[in-house]
Amino acid sequence: MNFKKYTYIFVFMCFGCTNTVKEKVQKATVSNTSKSTNLSFVDSVQTIRTEKPFQIPQYHSNGRLLTQNEFQQLQLATVFGEYIAKHEYRLLGNLALSNNYKTLLFGASDNVNFGSTFIVTYSKNYNLVSHKLANHHGKKGPSTLRTFFANNSLFVENTELNTSAEFIFDQNGTITPSDKPVTFKGYRYLDKFQGYLHQMPKRTVKAKSGLIIRDKKGNPIGKTVFGETVYIVNYTKDSITIKDEGKTIKAPKARIVLDPTKVTQGKDFYIEPSNIGYVFSGFLFDYYGNHTNENSLYGYDYLRLGNTKLEENATINLRDLFDIKRVDFKKYQDKISKSPKSSAIDIIYRKGKVLTLPFDNGEKLVLKDTTYNSEYNPTRSYSMSFHESFPNSYLVSETMFFTEEKYTVLSKKTGDTIQKFIGYPHISPSKEYSVAVFPEFECMQQTFIIVTKLVDGKYENYASIQTNSWSYPYKFDANDIMKDVFSIYWVSETEFILYAKNPEECYMENPTDYFYLKYKIKH
């Protein structure tokens, strides 16, 4: 980055030096009276809280724009040099560090090339005591001089020279260099964070059983889950070696944020030591920024792993989870171990809009289709079918405009819920995995594929993907009516083939490219 060095030339000018002593005393008295009257606005300026460490802000257009008279009364020529009419000078805030003196933030800018912020201390009578340049930046780009306040000290960093220095306030408000070594970097995030969590590097937990979080001494203090996003503070210099499933993995420990909600967006430039933990980075997926590449079968717009929060979007290479390739379906016809079977809906249980399911214990479940008086008058409707992988059960589907189709497996004996799925579940031969593929509820060309894995008798999310490299297949028949032609086939317990089409926008303008894709689940 470019750093323009500015030399501040302080010019002290004497006007009316031939005046008598009496005249000088009289002028001083008038000046003090004027100062007392005209500077009362300073006491009502915004007070900046200093309970927690914070970064002294860049010059900005907020705050009080100072007149030339106010500039002179505040003795700011000592700080900024001679008043320049084309520049803006603003009172930005009050730090209120002590009752013994006043601590104010002032900014200056030419609105073209630079902006700067100074910390200025005054006595109770507004006599200037001390000042320090706290921030300097060009019109574009980050600050080249930054200052952080913590524990009644200033930590000033020159980002061009990569130097840091500490300054302290004495009881009178004088700002002086400290003779202590600068230790502030030990618990502050130094990279491109700047107070915004989304700017921190993040990685996804790879360990299927989760990952233990430890404190600095190595004691367990928590655990992550597979697919969870962790925010990286930095890495330790030394690496450790771990053997896992016959493989030797060598990697450093990663310092991560324990609770991201405690990092205040845009305000906190630091992370409390108590909010930092350590994990073995060898069990984290590598970040993959090219995941949205539509020219690759591994491209996707959204990926959620495991039982993480719905809003968490993993950014990893999909090759870590699947092998995907186009195939000639004819070459695999003899290897198909399980093909889809249509499950006829049992209309015996339906009367009009009401579906009644009886259970062996004498209980009944009544489900009624309902139309809501809202956008497009959506109707929630139910249907029932039998699924070959769930004997002695009902498979109940629930559909509604703007929502994904939900499937619930109910025991015919008791009515208890056995499983829940998003999208129709295509179960693998040995029932270890389930795959659902369906279009987005509003745009048919946006396609989701959900792979779940059987864990302790329940199917749990393995990977939910919004792919952008292929679409759910529809075709127009002879009457120009859209027809669903999707199909899926299991080749082995971890391999399935599905029918797909070229990715498009929401309207099927050129649906000519249809093909088969084979997915192989790696874990």
Side-chain angles (χ1 to χ4, degrees):
M1 66 181 69
N2 295 324
F3 177 64
K4 296 183 179 179
K5 297 182 176 63
Y6 292 86
T7 301
Y8 289 77
I9 301 175
F10 305 112
V11 181
F12 298 90
M13 305 182 68
C14 178
F15 296 96
C17 293
T18 59
N19 291 344
T20 64
V21 173
K22 183 177 181 181
E23 288 176 330
K24 292 181 181 179
V25 172
Q26 184 179 3
K27 286 187 176 182
T29 302
V30 173
S31 177
N32 286 335
T33 302
S34 176
K35 183 189 304 182
S36 176
T37 302
N38 296 336
L39 296 183
S40 59
F41 70 88
V42 174
D43 294 327
S44 62
V45 74
Q46 174 192 6
T47 299
I48 300 175
R49 300 298 178 185
T50 58
E51 292 86 357
K52 285 187 175 183
F54 67 93
Q55 182 174 352
I56 303 300
Q58 290 184 345
Y59 171 85
H60 50 79
S61 58
N62 296 328
R64 181 187 176 92
L65 184 63
L66 300 175
T67 65
Q68 183 174 0
N69 184 48
E70 291 169 341
F71 178 93
Q72 292 170 346
Q73 290 179 337
L74 287 164
Q75 306 138 75
L76 293 180
T78 306
V79 179
F80 295 106
E82 184 181 358
Y83 181 87
I84 300 176
K86 293 182 179 180
H87 289 185
E88 284 187 355
Y89 302 94
R90 292 180 181 269
L91 174 58
L92 305 178
N94 180 9
L95 294 184
L97 299 184
S98 172
N99 293 327
N100 296 330
Y101 55 89
K102 299 179 182 294
T103 311
L104 304 178
L105 291 181
F106 292 96
S109 175
D110 65 354
N111 292 316
V112 177
N113 298 310
F114 81 96
S116 61
T117 303
F118 273 84
I119 298 177
V120 184
T121 58
Y122 293 89
S123 68
K124 293 180 179 180
N125 296 324
Y126 288 105
N127 291 316
L128 193 148
V129 175
S130 190
H131 65 277
K132 184 66 186 174
L133 178 63
N135 186 285
H136 188 85
H137 59 276
K139 184 174 178 61
K140 296 182 179 179
S143 300
T144 52
L145 185 73
R146 301 182 302 180
T147 297
F148 306 91
F149 178 85
N151 302 323
N152 212 39
S153 295
L154 299 176
F155 297 87
V156 181
E157 294 183 353
N158 186 316
T159 59
E160 182 189 47
L161 303 178
N162 195 27
T163 59
S164 299
E166 180 180 3
F167 294 83
I168 59 176
F169 297 84
D170 68 12
Q171 62 181 359
N172 298 317
T174 302
I175 306 172
T176 57
S178 170
D179 56 359
K180 300 176 183 178
V182 177
T183 59
F184 196 53
K185 288 186 176 182
Y187 60 88
R188 187 173 62 76
Y189 186 76
L190 292 176
D191 209 340
K192 299 178 180 179
F193 174 43
Q194 297 181 359
Y196 292 94
L197 197 65
H198 70 270
Q199 292 183 2
M200 292 185 69
K202 60 183 180 179
R203 293 176 66 181
T204 304
V205 176
K206 188 176 184 179
K208 297 298 182 293
S209 58
L211 190 55
I212 295 175
I213 306 174
R214 302 182 184 274
D215 62 16
K216 192 173 183 179
K217 296 181 179 179
N219 301 313
I221 57 174
K223 188 176 182 179
T224 64
V225 298
F226 168 69
E228 183 176 350
T229 297
V230 293
Y231 294 88
I232 308 295
V233 178
N234 52 27
Y235 298 89
T236 59
K237 293 182 180 180
D238 299 328
S239 297
I240 59 177
T241 301
I242 291 179
K243 289 188 177 181
D244 181 64
E245 298 181 352
K247 296 181 180 180
T248 301
I249 305 174
K250 184 178 180 180
K253 289 183 287 185
R255 295 185 181 92
I256 66 170
V257 177
L258 297 178
D259 186 356
T261 63
K262 292 183 178 180
V263 181
T264 306
Q265 299 292 302
K267 295 181 179 179
D268 289 358
F269 65 90
Y270 80 111
I271 301 169
E272 293 277 6
S274 60
N275 198 21
I276 294 177
Y278 295 74
V279 296
F280 178 54
S281 66
F283 290 153
L284 300 175
F285 284 108
D286 290 331
Y287 172 79
Y288 185 65
N290 201 33
H291 63 278
T292 58
N293 183 7
E294 294 184 7
N295 296 322
S296 168
L297 290 176
Y298 296 91
Y300 61 90
D301 290 326
Y302 171 85
L303 172 62
R304 174 177 170 255
L305 300 181
N307 296 320
T308 54
K309 300 176 182 178
L310 290 175
E311 64 269 19
E312 287 199 11
N313 184 12
T315 48
I316 70 171
N317 193 332
L318 206 57
R319 294 172 179 83
D320 289 328
L321 303 179
F322 304 99
D323 284 326
I324 311 173
K325 61 181 180 181
R326 286 198 186 197
V327 295
D328 182 354
F329 179 69
K330 295 180 181 179
K331 294 181 179 180
Y332 288 89
Q333 283 182 320
D334 296 336
K335 298 181 180 180
I336 294 174
S337 58
K338 190 175 183 181
S339 57
K341 294 182 179 179
S342 59
S343 301
I345 297 176
D346 194 337
I347 60 174
I348 298 175
Y349 303 108
R350 173 174 287 280
K351 289 185 178 181
K353 294 183 177 181
V354 178
L355 180 67
T356 304
L357 302 179
F359 304 108
D360 295 345
N361 61 3
E363 300 290 333
K364 293 182 180 179
L365 175 64
V366 179
L367 301 170
K368 183 179 179 179
D369 297 349
T370 305
T371 300
Y372 296 90
N373 187 21
S374 59
E375 188 176 12
Y376 300 110
N377 294 323
T379 298
R380 176 181 282 115
S381 59
Y382 299 91
S383 64
M384 191 280 293
S385 60
F386 296 109
H387 197 294
E388 60 181 355
S389 295
F390 302 103
N392 302 315
S393 302
Y394 296 120
L395 180 65
V396 179
S397 71
E398 176 186 343
T399 60
M400 186 174 178
F401 197 51
F402 288 138
T403 62
E404 302 91 351
E405 190 168 13
K406 302 175 183 178
Y407 287 85
T408 304
V409 182
L410 300 176
S411 168
K412 289 183 66 177
K413 183 177 180 180
T414 64
D416 293 337
T417 298
I418 299 175
Q419 304 286 346
K420 286 187 175 182
F421 299 95
I422 300 295
Y424 185 86
H426 300 277
I427 309 298
S428 63
S430 298
K431 300 184 179 181
E432 183 179 358
Y433 292 96
S434 169
V435 175
V437 181
F438 53 90
E440 201 265 352
F441 49 81
E442 192 169 5
C443 174
M444 293 182 179
Q445 305 312 307
Q446 294 179 1
T447 304
F448 290 86
I449 174 170
I450 297 179
V451 179
T452 60
K453 186 175 182 179
L454 193 62
V455 179
D456 297 330
K458 294 289 184 180
Y459 284 94
E460 296 183 356
N461 182 64
Y462 173 68
S464 299
I465 310 162
Q466 181 182 346
T467 179
N468 60 15
S469 60
W470 55 272
S471 295
Y472 192 91
Y474 285 93
K475 286 185 177 180
F476 291 108
D477 61 15
N479 297 319
D480 222 19
I481 298 176
M482 191 177 294
K483 181 180 180 182
D484 185 343
V485 294
F486 174 77
S487 59
I488 185 172
Y489 307 86
W490 283 95
V491 178
S492 70
E493 187 60 23
T494 58
E495 296 175 283
F496 58 90
I497 296 176
L498 54 84
Y499 195 46
K501 64 177 288 296
N502 60 301
E504 292 182 299
E505 297 299 328
C506 289
Y507 300 100
M508 293 180 61
E509 297 177 353
N510 187 31
T512 58
D513 188 12
Y514 293 84
F515 49 86
Y516 288 93
L517 291 175
K518 185 171 78 70
Y519 276 71
K520 180 178 180 181
I521 305 170
K522 287 189 173 181
H523 302 283

